[in-house]
C-alpha cells in the first residue's frame, strides 16, 4: 500500500479523475482504483464503461522538494518508451502525457502533470505466484531484453530528456564526458541534502570530489548507452501465464551512460540474468566505478527518504550505505 507519510503522494479527488477522463476519453462512465505502491507518483487503474482499461499516474505534489532531474520524469519516460517501441522492446503504450504546468494551482492535477498508458494484463515479477523455475527463465529473458535496451546509444551523456531535447526536433544538451554528468549529479544531490544536516560538510565534500578524483577511470566510458537506472523486479511485468516478460515499466529515471551504472544497484545480479545479458563486468576498474555509482544512488536515496518520503529510518540506512561505498574506495 502507498506510504501515506510521503510528502509527494496525494490521492486524486473523484472530480479530478472525472475531469481527466472527460478531457481525453469523452463523456464515458468509469471506475478508478488506487493501485498498490506509490511513494512518488499516485497511480490509478481506470476502467471505462466500454471495456477499455488504462493506468493513470499523477505526478507528485510539493514539487519544490524534487531533485532537478525529477522535474521532467514524464518527458523522459515518454521518450524512452518511444525508443523501445521502435526496437520491439516491450514497454507500455503511452496514450496521454501531460507535463506539469507551474501556472496551475499548487498541487492540482495539471500542476502535478500525469501520464496515461494502456493497461497491461500482467503480474509483477516479484509475485509469489511465480515458481523458482519460471523465475529463472524470466530472469534470462530479462537479461536479453536489458541487453537490447542497453544497445541504444545516445549522442551525449545525461538524462534522456536532456540528451534528446524536449521535442522531436532535438535541441538536446547533455554532457560530453561521463565524469561531467556524475559531477553534476553529485553536486545537485549534495546541495539538496545539505539543509537537512544529515551529512557533515566534510562528508559532502568527499562525495563531490569523487568524479574529479576518478575522472580518468570514469572517462574510459566513451559511448553513452541507454540505462534504465531502476530495473528491480517490481518494475518488470510478466504475462499472465508467467512465461514471458510483458513490459519494462517506470523508465522515468533512464539515462545515457555507462551500462555498469544500471548494474551497480545489484537488482539483477543473478547467473540467469547474465546468461541473457552477457558476460558481467568485472575487474578493479569496474569495481571502483561501481562503488562511485553506489555512492550516488545511496546519496540520492538519502535525500529522497528524508525530504520526500518522510522516512528518516530508511534514510539513516541509506546514509550509512553511501558513506560505506566511499569508504570502500579508500
Amino acid at each position: 500500500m502507498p506510504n501515506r507519510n510521503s510528502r509527494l503522494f496525494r490521492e486524486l479527488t473523484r472530480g479530478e479523475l472525472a475531469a481527466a477522463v472527460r478531457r481525453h476519453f469523452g463523456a464515458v462512465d468509469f471506475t478508478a482504483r488506487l493501485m498498490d505502491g506509490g511513494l512518488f507518483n499516485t497511480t490509478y487503474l481506470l476502467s471505462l464503461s466500454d471495456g477499455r482499461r488504462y493506468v493513470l499516474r499523477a505526478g507528485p505534489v510539493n514539487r519544490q522538494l524534487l531533485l532537478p532531474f525529477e522535474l521532467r520524469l514524464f518527458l523522459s519516460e515518454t521518450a524512452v518508451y518511444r525508443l523501445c517501441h521502435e526496437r520491439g522492446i516491450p514497454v507500455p503504450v503511452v496514450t496521454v502525457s501531460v507535463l506539469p504546468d507551474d501556472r496551475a494551482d499548487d498541487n492540482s492535477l495539471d500542476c502535478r502533470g500525469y501520464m496515461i498508458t494502456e493497461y497491461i494484463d500482467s503480474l509483477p515479477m516479484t509475485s509469489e505466484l511465480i515458481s523458482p523455475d519460471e523465475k529463472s527463465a524470466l530472469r534470462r529473458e530479462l537479461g536479453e531484453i536489458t541487453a537490447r535496451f542497453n544497445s541504444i546509444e545516445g549522442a551525449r551523456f545525461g538524462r534522456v530528456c536532456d540528451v534528446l531535447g524536449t521535442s522531436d526536433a532535438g535541441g538536446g544538451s547533455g554532457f560530453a564526458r561521463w565524469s561531467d554528468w556524475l559531477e553534476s549529479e553529485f553536486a545537485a544531490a549534495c546541495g539538496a541534502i545539505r539543509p537537512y544536516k544529515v551529512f557533515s560538510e566534510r562528508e559532502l565534500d568527499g562525495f563531490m570530489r569523487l568524479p574529479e578524483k576518478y575522472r580518468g577511470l570514469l572517462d574510459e566510458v566513451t559511448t553513452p548507452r541507454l540505462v534504465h537506472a531502476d530495473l528491480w523486479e517490481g518494475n518488470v511485468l510478466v504475462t499472465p501465464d508467467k512465461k514471458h516478460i510483458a513490459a519494462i515499466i517506470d523508465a522515468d529515471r533512464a539515462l545515457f551512460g555507462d551500462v555498469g551504472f544500471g548494474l551497480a544497484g545489484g537488482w539483477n545480479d543473478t547467473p540467469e540474468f547474465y546468461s541473457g545479458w552477457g558476460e558481467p563486468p568485472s575487474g578493479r576498474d569496474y569495481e571502483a566505478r561501481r562503488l562511485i555509482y553506489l555512492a550516488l544512488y545511496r546519496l540520492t536515496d538519502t535525500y529522497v527518504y528524508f525530504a520526500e518520503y518522510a522516512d528518516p529510518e530508511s534514510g539513516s540506512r541509506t546514509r550509512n550505505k553511501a558513506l560505506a561505498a566511499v569508504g570502500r574506495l579508500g
Side-chain angles (χ1 to χ4, degrees):
M1 293 301 292
N3 173 9
R4 305 291 178 171
N5 294 326
S6 171
R7 297 186 177 104
L8 305 184
F9 172 88
R10 181 177 298 173
E11 292 185 39
L12 299 176
T13 66
R14 175 69 184 184
E16 288 176 313
L17 288 164
V21 169
R22 186 168 56 252
R23 179 186 298 178
H24 302 294
F25 304 110
V28 296
D29 291 332
F30 72 96
T31 60
R33 176 175 63 83
L34 184 66
M35 300 182 75
D36 288 347
L39 294 171
F40 193 87
N41 297 308
T42 306
T43 306
Y44 290 85
L45 171 61
L46 298 178
S47 299
L48 307 189
S49 56
D50 59 11
R52 291 177 294 169
R53 290 192 290 178
Y54 298 92
V55 174
L56 183 151
R57 294 165 62 212
V61 296
N62 296 319
R63 287 174 52 79
Q64 74 279 3
L65 295 175
L66 301 183
L67 292 163
F69 79 89
E70 294 177 324
L71 292 169
R72 296 186 293 165
L73 293 184
F74 288 152
L75 185 67
S76 281
E77 188 165 16
T78 301
V80 170
Y81 291 162
R82 183 173 66 247
L83 290 173
C84 289
H85 279 300
E86 292 171 354
R87 293 161 176 80
I89 298 171
V91 291
V93 174
V94 178
T95 303
V96 174
S97 183
V98 177
L99 301 182
D101 185 352
D102 294 333
R103 299 166 299 178
D105 293 338
D106 288 348
N107 297 334
S108 67
L109 184 55
D110 282 345
C111 179
R112 298 167 68 170
Y114 57 96
M115 174 183 285
I116 300 176
T117 60
E118 293 182 2
Y119 174 75
I120 300 172
D121 189 16
S122 60
L123 64 160
M125 196 166 166
T126 52
S127 172
E128 295 179 355
L129 298 175
I130 302 174
S131 71
D133 287 344
E134 290 168 332
K135 183 68 70 73
S136 292
L138 290 168
R139 284 174 173 162
R140 186 175 301 108
E141 184 179 4
L142 179 60
E144 295 169 353
I145 291 172
T146 304
R148 290 159 58 196
F149 194 96
N150 295 154
S151 71
I152 302 173
E153 296 184 13
R156 292 167 73 84
F157 295 101
R159 299 288 174 183
V160 169
C161 63
D162 294 325
V163 173
L164 298 183
T166 57
S167 71
D168 292 335
S173 54
F175 296 85
R177 299 187 299 182
W178 177 230
S179 63
D180 290 340
W181 178 79
L182 288 164
E183 189 171 59
S184 174
E185 291 288 304
F186 272 110
C190 287
I193 194 67
R194 178 174 282 109
Y196 295 85
K197 307 297 183 182
V198 175
F199 296 100
S200 69
E201 286 299 319
R202 182 171 178 270
E203 289 166 341
L204 290 176
D205 186 62
F207 286 119
M208 289 192 290
R209 287 178 181 271
L210 289 177
E212 175 62 32
K213 182 177 180 180
Y214 293 93
R215 192 175 299 279
L217 182 64
L218 293 168
D219 288 338
E220 290 178 4
V221 179
T222 58
T223 302
R225 298 187 182 277
L226 188 61
V227 177
H228 187 285
D230 194 20
L231 194 57
W232 66 294
E233 291 184 353
N235 282 339
V236 180
L237 301 183
V238 175
T239 56
D241 62 8
K242 298 172 286 186
K243 292 183 178 180
H244 294 288
I245 304 297
I248 303 297
I249 63 171
D250 286 4
D252 46 8
R253 286 165 169 74
L255 56 101
F256 289 107
D258 179 8
V259 295
F261 188 85
L263 303 174
W267 299 297
N268 300 297
D269 198 11
T270 65
E272 295 89 350
F273 174 85
Y274 285 114
S275 70
W277 187 85
E279 186 69 23
S282 60
R284 293 180 61 183
D285 287 354
Y286 168 71
E287 179 61 15
R289 285 193 291 266
R290 189 184 72 86
L291 289 171
I292 294 169
Y293 305 158
L294 274 179
L296 179 57
Y297 275 127
R298 303 312 175 215
L299 173 66
T300 303
D301 289 344
T302 302
Y303 172 79
V304 167
Y305 280 121
F306 273 98
E308 297 180 350
Y309 294 169
D311 183 357
E313 183 177 345
S314 296
S316 295
R317 288 196 294 268
T318 55
R319 172 195 180 275
N320 295 336
K321 292 177 181 179
L323 294 173
V326 176
R328 288 168 62 188
L329 280 163

